[in-house]
Structures are given as structure tokens and as C-alpha cells.
Amino acid sequence: MSPSEHWRIERQPGEVIDRSQPINFTWNGSPVTGYSGDTIVSALMASGVRVMSRSFKYHRPRGVVTATYFDPNCSFQVGDEPNVRAAHRQVREGDVVRAQNAWPSLSFDVRAANQLVGRFLGPGFYYKTFIRPQTLWPLYQKVLSRFSPGGEPPPIGTPHEIFDKRFAHPDVLVAGGGPAGMAAALGAARSGASVMLVEEEYELGGHLRYGGVESLAALASLRAEVASFDNIEVLTDSVVLGRYDDNWVGIVQRSGMWAKERLIKARVGTLVVAAGLIERPYVFEGNDLPGVMLATAALRLTGLHAVKPGTTAVVFTANSTGDEAVARLRSAGVQIARVLDARKGDDVVRALGRGKVTGVEAGDGSTTEADLLVTATGWTAPTSLLNMAGDRPIWNPQAARFTPSELIDIRVMATGGIVGDGSTAELVAHGRAVGSEAAARARGEVPQSVAALTPYPHPALFQSTTVGFVDFSEDVKSKDIVSAAREGYDSSELAKRFTTSGMGPAQGKLEMVNTMAVLAEATDRDFESTGTTVWRPPYAPISLGALAGRAFEPERISPIQSWHNEHGAKNMVAGQWIRPEHYGNPAAEAANVRSRVGIIDLSPLGKLDLRGPDVVKLLNLVYTNSWDNLAIGSVRYGVMCAEDGVVMDDGVTGRLGADHYLMTTTSSGAGNVWDWLEMWLQTVHREWQVTITPVTTALVSINIAGPHSRELLSRVTDIDLDPASFGYLKVRTGSVAGIDDCIVWRIGFTGELSFEIHVPASYGLHVWQALLEAGKDLGVAAFGVEAQRILRLEKGHLIVGQDTDGLTLAYQAGLGGLVKLGKDDFSGKPELVLQEARAGDHSHLVAIETVDPMLVPPEASQIVVNGNDIVGRVTSSRMSPTLHRSVCLAHVPADLAAPGSRLTIVLTNGDRAEAVVRENLAFVDPEGVRLRG
Amino acid sequence: MLLIDCPYCGPRNSTEFRHAGEAGKSRDLASATPAQWRRYLYEYDNPLGWVRESWFHSAGCRRYLSSERHTGTNEVRWVVPFGTAAPSSTTDEETSR
Ligand SMILES: [Zn+2]
């Protein structure tokens, strides 16, 4: 294709192209030259390209309809980016542009044969054709995906692009930068409001941009005035996506910054909706032929891009925009073969031609030769944002469009075409008044009404015959809607879903009103009783990249993390924390703990400092066991249940002084538990005196575990470690490695003799290194989370959330011994009372041994009876380096919980494995000799 | 997204808060039957209209708050510290706009 200038007309007063800057790109492999400022589509039109795509279902050739972002026929693949709205996107040097959904090519399309079988692709064909038999679904999926009009996603390994997020708090946000929108921004800015003015095109101006010289003069002065205000932030190529509660507004910004796309979340004082009007296509036979386009499309192509869309035109007009198109086309050198005026009763019944328009048949039966048919038959008000603010726009039969009813929220206003019509001066006056009032409302002033802008009368024109297309992107014809109505889908929401009219990329902007009109006619109702569908967010497409954007979630790391990284740690994500999973060989790390001594960084452990005379009451309330007699210097293990009796968290709490306790929680539960304690203190027992201070990150926690742990700790502390005075479940404070005020307690999650040290966080690394240095001859080594998980499983200690789930009550987790039903009150008590009475019914947590000792069934493997009836599951499983066999915990029903019960486990490959329930949860040291040593 | 005017912190996004349920449910451990207890645990009135409820400003002042919100419009009429008297409130039928 040569860079033909045949279709480019002389310089236009409002043209946005820079003729001194040619842009070279390719279209389906052929070179094309456009100008800087061209859209991809305007550059193609200037080169004589008329067929832009093949339609979704019937693969009919399609051309430009609206020449806007929402043109249903102009989604292209640009490089590795699919679904680019090419009637909007400015062309860039080197762009590689391809048509989508046109394999093997636009001109030779094997699937055009679909047209011949169209009668099998009627409304609801998805639902009817592809339902049975279900076994063929994978095949259906393949067939359907070949119909998909989408492009190709970037291949795996494509470099990531940068997406960003931003938060904003404008007093007034104006959605739409046409004359009324610009005026609203000015009206608000004049009274000092901070204003964000959002325009979906690359420039402010709306319809003034492609209007005549007077429009362009008005536009120039409005633009200059907007530029003179520092308190107006203009966002172009940006769209307001949705309006949510309390004027929370989402905006996507698509270009003009360092990121590919940016999602702006704005809390807006007053939202002014100035979305303008969308021109509505007309339904008649052949209305989808390339060469049939809207009057606004013709005005855009000629006025903005100096492109002549055809040689000989018929214009079907019902309004001044159509009349303007006649004049514009004529001045662009297009021969006007005929003007059909709807206001005088003229009509269009058929566009003639195959693959392109060659003639037009009028309502009087006469035909006219033409390669261009321009229609101007009415407007659709894009009331999406008003819908989202709770408004239900009403059908205005005189104007043949929807207009806002009463705006439900005083912080949402509307101006411009969406409310009414007027000269540029009238639109601007209304916009200024609305903007000024919007600013006043944002300041909290009593709302005043603004003089109304009313719509011009307009003939109601939707279709001449029921043969034409209503939805171009979904390939829905008027007669499809008629037959849907006949099948009983006569409500607008049902008909929409059944026919998929309005469910394509334009999301009803072009199709919704025509769909309603066809449905109303088919069911012999008026618009009012047919009803409309509700527009929901997002108003325009947004990429998943922008929604994901930049994460604002900081990671938490221990003060010892630098050491871990220097010593080969393989890190894992655990909630908000990054922590070492292991240092290369978790089994060896676990074995070293059993035989010598290991240290683990437990800093993520949740820690709450509790002080006050009523701490014991709080502990009795949130833990299931009793805390009445916990002596100073002692610690105790406790389980927390929610009010429904489900195990919520567990941990150790130590009493450091008369009214001073340190509570530990699971790492992931730290925040929840803190909230939970505050709930009891602030809403139920407001008289209790307890102060909670979170100290999770104030203390570094290090566990020393293994037979040599006492020897190791004794070398660096002044605390008396004699087991006679510092026994199991005791707590002491003292100096460790020269650091005063360390808290040391004896517990045994790993099943070994162990000391847990809580050190002021800034000294954590020092103490860690001191322990490693002091214990060299003892064989001390760091161990990670995986080794700890092996060790605790060997010991039969459960992990909340791993060996319990959202339905596990305390008794089911084998924690009955920790439930003191005699207490007056504790969280979960009523449910646990009931569960205790039904002890025979519920499932149990048990330890199981696979018959094949080398088999480690994956966690979450199902336990079955009678073939495939699922009755339980494996909750934890590991190969034990101590016992050299697999060790597992499992949930099983009561009748399989007795020691010696045989179980059948289904493995991931479908194989079955046998296992036996053990006597005791602990595989290693069930008597607890080691940890009490 | 709902905006909640915390009496301690000022207007903040609802994502900073944890919804803490409808107000006025009585936690009667001593005399509730199992059926009553489960109603307390799981059942909410959830009317269309004004409801009193509690919020916890977890990412702010960490105080529990009481409020009145319209479940149809999501308008929050008032927010006070938990345990303080509600402002003299209009009747349930009335909508404020
Ligand atoms: Zn607060």
C-alpha cells in the first residue's frame, strides 16, 4: 500500500495532524504513512483502507462507524498489545498494526462462511448450542475461543510495563472536557475550588473540536481560560470509570506520563458529569457495510484529520449535526448525491453492496449510487455516572433520549448534552453556573438550584426495518431481539443477556437505546414500560495492569534478615513477613536440633504487652483454659476460640509482674488478636483496666532448641538456668550477650529442651551472632521455618490454620484438655458446651502412620470410605529425619479416630494409600522427657 | 467507598475500619437457649433503612465507634465514640435528602 494522499484533503482549521511529521507504520504487514496526530484509523482511512475488521459472529467486513474510542469495528493488535482502540489511539512511528479476528486475512476470510449458517447462530446460541452433552465442553470452549474477537496477549517473558496508582482529593471533579465541562471547571475554579477536569480524548474541546470556525474560536478562548487557572488540573486521554459511595471516583489515565496507565482514586467534593452525547446508529438493512458511518464520524475524520471518507455520499439527517456533515463533506470535495431529511419524512431502508456501500435505497423505494452513507438520527446520553450515583434517568420522548431524573445525591451534578441542548454560549453559561454551584456544595453550603438546560425536540428514529444490526460488536440483529421477545425474553435485562446486545466492548453506549426501541416495538409497549438496563462501572475498559498497579503493601523483615540472606537463606512469604524457609537443607537443620542445638529467628511471632489489674480477667475471657493461678515467673499455653467455638489462635502468655504479662500469638494472627482483645475491652467490659501495647516489632524473638541449648545459653547469660529453679514453662528476665532486660522462657514447640529469648529489637542481630559464636563447639546452627515445621509435626503440635480450618472447634483439634467449661464466661463457651455433649459426633485431629513408611501423602489429601466418600483429610505431612518415616496429622470422623483404625488416603495421582491411626499425636518423645529436661 | 467521619481522626475511607456488626445484640450467655445463641451469632436484621452499628477504626485511632447508617443510600448520619449517647436522632422513616 503506497502512502496515497488521495483521501487527504486540504488543510482544515481545526486539524490536529502535523503535516511536517510523517509517521511510518505497518498494517497487516504493508507499510502505511500517516501524520503525527493521526489516529491509527484516520491514517488508514487516509490511505484508502475501508475494511477495518471482520465481525464477531458472521465475520462480515466492517468499517469505521463512530471514529471514537468506542468504535465497535476498530479494535486492533498493535505490537504485542491486543484490543487497542485504534480510532482513538494516536499512531506512533514503527507501530506494527494488525487486524484481529480475521484469520487468515481481512480480504479472504474462511469464517465468512458463517454468514451462510447464520440461521444456526441466532439469539441465545451460546446457551442452546453448547449446553449438552457436558463432556463436549472442552470442545465447545475451543470453538468459542476461535470466535473470540480479541487479539493475542503478549507472550510469556514479555518485559513488564509500569503501571501506577495515585490518590487525589479535588473539591470538584468534572467528567468530560467539552464546552460545558470546561465551563464547569472554570465556574468552580473561579470560586477557588481545586478542580480536576477529565477528558477521554487527547485534547479538551468535545464537539467544538470538529465544528466550524465559530466553534473553534469559542474553543480557543475556553482553552486559554482553563490554562490560566493553576487550580484546574487537566487530565486528557483519561476517563472516569465509576462513581462509588461518598463520591469515591476511579479514573484511568492512559498516556502523558511515565507509566503505561495509571489508576487514580479520587475522593471528590462534588462530581460534575459532563459526558456529552453519543451519536446513535440507525438500524436498517446493510447498516454494517463499510461506508456507513455516523455524522460525527464524518465530521471527526474531515475536521480533525483532514480525511475524506468517501467520494459520493448520501446523508440521512434528522438534526443540525447531519446538516453540518452535508456542508462539511461538500467542502471536502465529496459529492453529495442525495440528502434524505427525516424531518420531512424521508427514510433509509437499505444500504446496497457487498463488502462496501455501492448505493442507498430510500424509504420511497428510489436508489442512489454512493460509496458513503452518513446518518444523523439521534443521540444517546451516557448517563452511566448518574446511574452509579443512584439516579434512574427517564425517557424523554420529545427529545428521543434519556435525561437525568432528580439527582439523588447533592454532591453529583450534571451539565452539557447529558441534560440538554443549546448554543455554545448557552452550554458554557450552564456549565459555569453548575461549576460555581458545585464548588459551593463542596464547601458545604446549602444547595441552590441551577437554571435548567432543556433538550431540543428530536424525532424518535431507531429502525426502518428489522433486518439491520443493533449491536455491531456482538453481531446482534434487530430480528434477533424480536425473536428473543417472542421466546419470552421480553424484559430489557433478560433480552440483553439472552441476545448479548449491549454486552460487547461498547457496553451499550451505541446499542442500548436501539435495543430498547426494538424490544418496545416487538412487544407493543412504549419506552417507559419497556424499561432500561442499568449502566455499571467501569464506564471504559481498564487494563488489569492498572488495577493491579503498584502495590502499597510494605514487607516486614526481621532485624536479623541481613544475616539470613548472607547465609544462604531461601526466603518465603508468610503473611506480611519475609522469613527464611531454610538455609539449604531443612532435614539436616531439624536433625541438628534433635542431636545438638539450633537457633531460629521467630521475630514475626505476634507479641502484645498487657498491663493492668484486670489482665487475668481478659485472659480468662479470650483463652479457653484457666489463668487464675498463673504465678509471676510462669508461662502458659492457651487456645483462643471465636464466639462460634472455632479455634482462632494460640500461643504462650507469660506473667512478668503482678500486673504485667507478655502474650504471644501466631505470626499471621497478631493483628486479629489485638483487634479481638480491644473489642472485649472497649465494647463488652469497658470497666476493666487493661492497656495493650503491640510489641511484635519491638522485640526480636530467638528460639534456642536442642539438648545443648542450656549449655549454649548459659555461656551468654546471667540468668540462673538450673532446671530446679528455671523449670519448664517458667519465665525469667536478665541479660543475654550483654543486653539487659531480655525475657527468656522455656517452652517446647519443637519437642526439645528450648529457651525462647525476646530481645530489644535493635540488639537482635547482636544476640543472634553472639549465640552462634558461643556455640561453635556445640554444633549450633540456624534453622528455618521448614525445619521447625518438621520438628513440631514429629512432636504432634498443631498449627492453627494448618491443622484447623474455619470450622474446627476446640474439641475437634484435640484441645479438649485446654477447655475449662466451668469458667463463668469465655469466648466460644456455649458452642463448646454443645460440642462436648456430642463428643461422639465430630471429627478428630489424629496422628497417622502410612503403611508404606516412605510415602508422604501430600497435605490436603482426602481420606475416603466406601470407594469415594470423603470423610477426612491429611492436614500436615512430612518425612521425619528423626524417625526416617513419614509423619502426618489428619482430621478423621469419630468412628475412624480410635487408635489402630485403618484409613484409605487418595493421592494426587488417584492412587490409594493405607494408613493407621496412632495412639498419640506425638511421634517423638510422647512423654515429654526431652522438653522438660 | 464509604467515608466515615471518625470523631477522633476525621473523615477516613471505610477500608481503614472494620465493621463490627449491628448494635443492640445482647450477648446473654447465662440464659440463651442454643437457638437464641445461634441467632445472636449468625443472624442480622439487615433492614432497608437506618441501622445502628459499630465500627472499629483499626488503621486509625483503634477505637470502637457507634454510628447510624442508611443501608439504602449508605449515608452515615452520625458517628460517636462507642458507649457515648447517640445524638438526638430523627425517626426511622425520615430520609435526610
Ligand atoms: Zn479514628
Side-chain angles (χ1 to χ4, degrees):
Chain A
M1 201 174 310
S2 67
S4 158
E5 282 297 286
H6 178 67
W7 300 100
R8 195 75 78 170
I9 55 177
E10 67 184 34
R11 191 173 298 274
Q12 299 294 300
E15 71 181 30
V16 296
I17 51 171
D18 179 352
R19 296 185 191 234
S20 70
Q21 282 196 57
I23 303 280
N24 298 296
F25 66 106
T26 64
W27 164 244
N28 295 327
S30 305
V32 181
T33 303
Y35 291 126
S36 172
D38 259 325
T39 67
I40 293 169
V41 161
S42 70
L44 290 175
M45 288 289 286
S47 300
V49 176
R50 292 293 177 266
V51 179
M52 299 294 167
S53 63
R54 289 277 175 170
S55 75
F56 169 53
K57 224 194 293 178
Y58 306 113
H59 281 253
R60 290 169 64 90
R62 292 278 167 82
V64 171
V65 176
T66 71
T68 64
Y69 187 94
F70 291 106
D71 197 305
N73 303 331
C74 298
S75 287
F76 296 162
Q77 179 91 25
V78 179
D80 61 14
E81 187 181 356
N83 305 324
V84 170
R85 291 348 193 245
H88 168 84
R89 173 74 64 85
Q90 288 176 341
V91 69
R92 285 170 300 207
E93 184 70 28
D95 274 346
V96 177
V97 183
R98 295 194 160 273
Q100 297 180 169
N101 195 31
W103 179 89
S105 82
L106 263 189
S107 47
F108 175 78
D109 185 340
V110 287
R111 279 174 295 173
N114 286 341
Q115 284 186 68
L116 303 174
V117 295
R119 60 200 177 91
F120 299 114
L121 299 177
F125 86 102
Y126 305 99
Y127 311 112
K128 290 171 175 170
T129 314
F130 297 110
I131 288 178
R132 290 193 186 83
Q134 216 172 6
T135 46
L136 285 181
W137 255 106
L139 177 67
Y140 297 158
Q141 226 165 19
K142 276 187 193 156
V143 173
L144 287 172
S145 72
R146 301 221 69 176
F147 274 111
S148 159
E152 296 287 323
I156 304 288
T158 303
H160 288 212
E161 285 173 306
I162 306 288
F163 294 86
D164 200 15
K165 286 203 180 98
R166 175 190 162 190
F167 294 89
H169 301 80
D171 296 330
V172 174
L173 185 139
V174 182
M182 284 193 284
L186 290 166
R190 270 200 192 287
S191 51
S194 63
V195 181
M196 194 174 257
L197 176 57
V198 182
E199 167 54 41
E200 68 177 330
E201 310 231 3
Y202 290 93
E203 290 177 340
L204 291 176
H207 68 270
L208 296 183
R209 297 171 64 220
Y210 48 86
V213 284
E214 281 175 28
S215 295
L216 291 166
L219 174 56
S221 84
L222 280 169
R223 278 186 185 157
E225 199 179 342
V226 167
S228 73
F229 281 92
D230 288 340
N231 49 337
I232 301 179
E233 180 182 2
V234 177
L235 300 174
T236 53
D237 196 15
S238 303
V239 187
V240 176
L241 300 167
R243 183 271 182 192
Y244 306 86
D245 284 327
D246 290 317
N247 274 355
W248 180 251
V249 173
I251 302 148
V252 62
Q253 192 178 1
R254 295 185 290 229
S255 63
M257 72 209 134
W258 61 279
K260 167 97 181 159
E261 267 185 24
R262 177 155 67 180
L263 177 63
I264 302 173
K265 300 179 180 186
R267 181 69 78 177
V268 175
T270 309
L271 170 66
V272 177
V273 182
L277 291 171
I278 293 173
E279 192 169 26
R280 201 155 62 215
Y282 190 54
V283 180
F284 54 93
E285 189 175 349
N287 68 336
D288 69 325
L289 283 172
V292 179
M293 68 176 64
L294 300 174
T296 44
L299 290 171
R300 283 170 174 276
L301 288 169
T302 50
L304 298 174
H305 305 293
V307 172
K308 187 168 67 168
T311 358
T312 310
V314 172
V315 179
F316 179 46
T317 172
N319 54 43
S320 59
T321 303
D323 303 341
E324 196 180 345
V326 172
R328 175 75 58 76
L329 288 169
R330 196 169 271 142
S331 77
V334 178
Q335 189 203 336
I336 304 294
R338 189 167 182 191
V339 176
L340 294 164
D341 194 330
R343 295 158 294 193
K344 296 175 184 160
D346 293 343
D347 203 354
V348 165
V349 294
R350 186 149 47 144
L352 308 167
R354 273 183 70 87
K356 61 180 182 181
V357 172
T358 54
V360 177
E361 182 182 332
D364 58 10
S366 64
T367 60
T368 308
E369 278 190 24
D371 63 351
L372 178 64
L373 170 55
V374 171
T375 67
T377 55
W379 306 98
T380 294
T383 55
S384 306
L385 293 172
L386 302 175
N387 275 139
M388 295 170 208
D391 189 45
R392 294 290 172 268
I394 44 180
W395 180 251
N396 183 329
Q398 281 74 42
R401 68 186 202 237
F402 283 96
T403 44
S405 60
E406 48 184 83
L407 297 184
I408 198 165
D409 193 311
I410 58 160
R411 294 294 182 87
V412 179
M413 303 182 72
T415 184
I418 208 163
V419 291
D421 298 310
S423 65
T424 301
E426 286 166 336
L427 291 171
V428 167
H430 189 262
R432 285 188 198 271
V434 166
S436 155
E437 173 62 16
R441 293 186 187 183
R443 290 191 300 268
E445 292 174 18
V446 178
Q448 308 289 322
S449 59
V450 175
L453 188 70
T454 48
Y456 293 154
H458 195 287
L461 293 167
F462 309 108
Q463 61 176 349
S464 59
T465 73
T466 57
V467 183
F469 282 86
V470 173
D471 187 329
F472 299 103
S473 39
E474 290 286 297
D475 254 4
V476 179
K477 293 177 178 176
S478 179
K479 67 180 167 70
D480 296 332
I481 297 164
V482 174
S483 65
R486 220 175 278 137
E487 289 191 55
Y489 296 95
D490 54 358
S491 97
S492 54
E493 294 282 5
L494 283 179
K496 167 183 156 182
R497 282 161 182 77
F498 187 66
T499 62
T500 72
S501 186
M503 290 172 69
Q507 286 286 294
K509 291 172 188 69
L510 302 174
E511 314 89 0
M512 198 266 283
V513 172
N514 283 341
T515 303
M516 294 305 106
V518 173
L519 188 63
E521 197 179 310
T523 54
D524 201 20
R525 288 176 296 186
D526 57 15
F527 245 92
E528 299 280 271
S529 47
T530 309
T532 176
T533 56
V534 175
W535 266 328
R536 296 184 179 84
Y539 175 74
I542 177 169
S543 66
L544 292 176
L547 288 174
R550 182 154 58 114
F552 288 104
E553 285 160 22
E555 289 165 346
R556 296 181 133 188
I557 55 164
S558 148
I560 309 176
Q561 188 62 36
S562 57
W563 185 94
H564 302 319
N565 292 341
E566 285 160 18
H567 291 80
K570 182 185 172 290
N571 294 317
M572 61 185 277
V573 178
Q576 295 175 310
W577 290 85
I578 303 297
R579 52 187 308 195
E581 185 172 7
H582 58 76
Y583 302 87
N585 187 343
E589 291 164 25
N592 191 55
V593 171
R594 289 269 181 254
S595 60
R596 291 183 282 271
V597 59
I599 59 175
I600 180 171
D601 178 3
L602 293 180
S603 297
L605 199 68
K607 294 174 281 282
L608 297 170
D609 182 277
L610 309 176
R611 293 178 198 238
D614 297 314
V615 173
V616 174
K617 291 179 186 167
L618 180 65
L619 298 177
N620 272 325
L621 188 62
V622 296
Y623 283 126
T624 59
N625 53 345
S626 173
W627 293 77
D628 289 336
N629 57 1
L630 185 70
I632 295 172
S634 287
V635 304
R636 185 166 289 169
Y637 172 74
V639 172
M640 293 184 189
C641 289
E643 287 238 79
D644 58 5
V646 170
V647 177
M648 181 181 130
D649 208 88
D650 69 344
V652 164
T653 292
R655 188 172 183 187
L656 305 178
D659 293 337
H660 183 198
Y661 294 74
L662 180 66
M663 172 185 280
T664 61
T665 73
T666 62
S667 304
S668 55
N672 270 343
V673 171
W674 185 22
D675 288 7
W676 182 238
L677 301 187
E678 290 290 356
M679 189 280 289
W680 290 106
L681 293 173
Q682 291 186 39
T683 72
V684 182
H685 293 289
R686 297 168 56 78
E687 72 285 4
W688 288 358
Q689 293 181 44
V690 179
T691 299
I692 304 173
T693 310
V695 292
T696 301
T697 50
L699 297 172
V700 155
S701 304
I702 300 168
N703 192 289
I704 312 169
H708 300 330
S709 57
R710 181 179 287 114
E711 171 61 25
L712 169 56
L713 181 57
S714 71
R715 295 177 182 181
V716 293
T717 186
D718 61 357
I719 298 170
D720 178 7
L721 302 181
D722 183 339
S725 58
F726 189 1
Y728 183 56
L729 297 180
K730 298 295 177 200
V731 55
R732 299 288 179 268
T733 53
S735 137
V736 176
I739 309 305
D740 291 339
D741 302 322
C742 293
I743 299 162
V744 181
W745 59 36
R746 279 191 60 188
I747 55 168
F749 192 48
T750 58
E752 289 300 318
L753 172 66
S754 84
F755 296 83
E756 196 157 288
I757 316 173
H758 305 287
V759 188
S762 46
Y763 296 104
L765 180 57
H766 162 76
V767 171
W768 177 265
Q769 287 174 315
L771 288 167
L772 289 168
E773 184 63 32
K776 268 183 181 159
D777 59 316
L778 301 172
V780 67
F783 65 106
V785 173
E786 176 57 19
Q788 188 193 40
R789 290 194 161 215
I790 295 169
L791 293 162
R792 69 90 200 178
L793 183 54
E794 290 178 340
K795 178 61 185 169
H797 283 153
L798 66 81
I799 294 177
V800 173
Q802 167 87 30
D803 303 299
T804 69
D805 64 19
L807 294 171
T808 310
L809 277 65
Y811 286 103
Q812 284 161 286
L815 298 167
L818 289 166
V819 180
K820 289 287 173 286
L821 294 178
K823 289 198 291 184
D824 283 347
D825 186 7
F826 64 89
S827 176
K829 178 178 170 182
E831 290 298 326
L832 293 174
V833 167
L834 293 171
Q835 195 187 38
E836 203 256 349
R838 293 184 289 103
D841 297 346
H842 57 69
S843 68
H844 292 264
L845 184 69
V846 295
I848 61 173
E849 272 174 4
T850 48
V851 170
D852 173 0
M854 290 300 111
L855 177 78
V856 183
E859 289 172 352
S861 293
Q862 308 288 2
I863 294 166
V864 297
V865 295
N866 303 328
N868 275 322
D869 294 347
I870 297 166
V871 293
R873 67 181 198 284
V874 175
T875 61
S876 293
S877 61
R878 289 288 188 281
M879 177 56 67
S880 162
T882 310
L883 302 171
H884 303 290
R885 62 150 300 127
S886 81
V887 293
C888 310
L889 292 177
H891 268 290
V892 296
D895 59 347
L896 290 177
S901 301
R902 289 187 79 85
L903 307 172
T904 303
I905 301 169
V906 183
L907 304 175
T908 31
N909 63 3
D911 287 356
R912 313 272 156 148
E914 297 299 308
V916 180
V917 175
R918 286 173 49 90
E919 177 84 38
N920 196 298
L921 285 174
F923 291 82
V924 170
D925 189 27
E927 299 79 23
V929 176
R930 299 173 77 105
L931 58 81
R932 286 184 171 78
Chain B
M1 185 200 304
L2 212 56
L3 194 64
I4 295 172
D5 195 0
C6 174
Y8 300 105
C9 310
R12 301 294 185 91
N13 287 345
S14 59
T15 44
E16 290 188 6
F17 297 78
R18 172 185 277 204
H19 187 253
E22 284 175 7
K25 298 186 99 182
S26 73
R27 184 178 179 275
D28 180 8
L29 225 59
S31 66
T33 65
Q36 287 168 333
W37 179 254
R38 283 175 181 178
R39 272 203 292 282
Y40 162 79
L41 285 181
Y42 303 118
E43 291 185 12
Y44 295 86
D45 287 343
N46 194 27
L48 175 61
W50 292 103
V51 288
R52 297 207 176 172
E53 57 194 6
S54 305
W55 293 85
F56 178 52
H57 197 180
S58 53
C61 57
R62 297 196 58 82
R63 304 309 296 171
Y64 274 81
L65 310 168
S66 299
S67 70
E68 194 169 53
R69 178 176 64 95
H70 195 282
T71 54
T73 63
N74 252 345
E75 183 188 349
V76 179
R77 187 145 65 182
W78 47 257
V79 188
V80 296
F82 190 96
T84 39
S88 59
S89 152
T90 39
T91 63
D92 282 5
E93 282 71 40
E94 189 193 336
T95 53
S96 71
R97 282 175 190 154

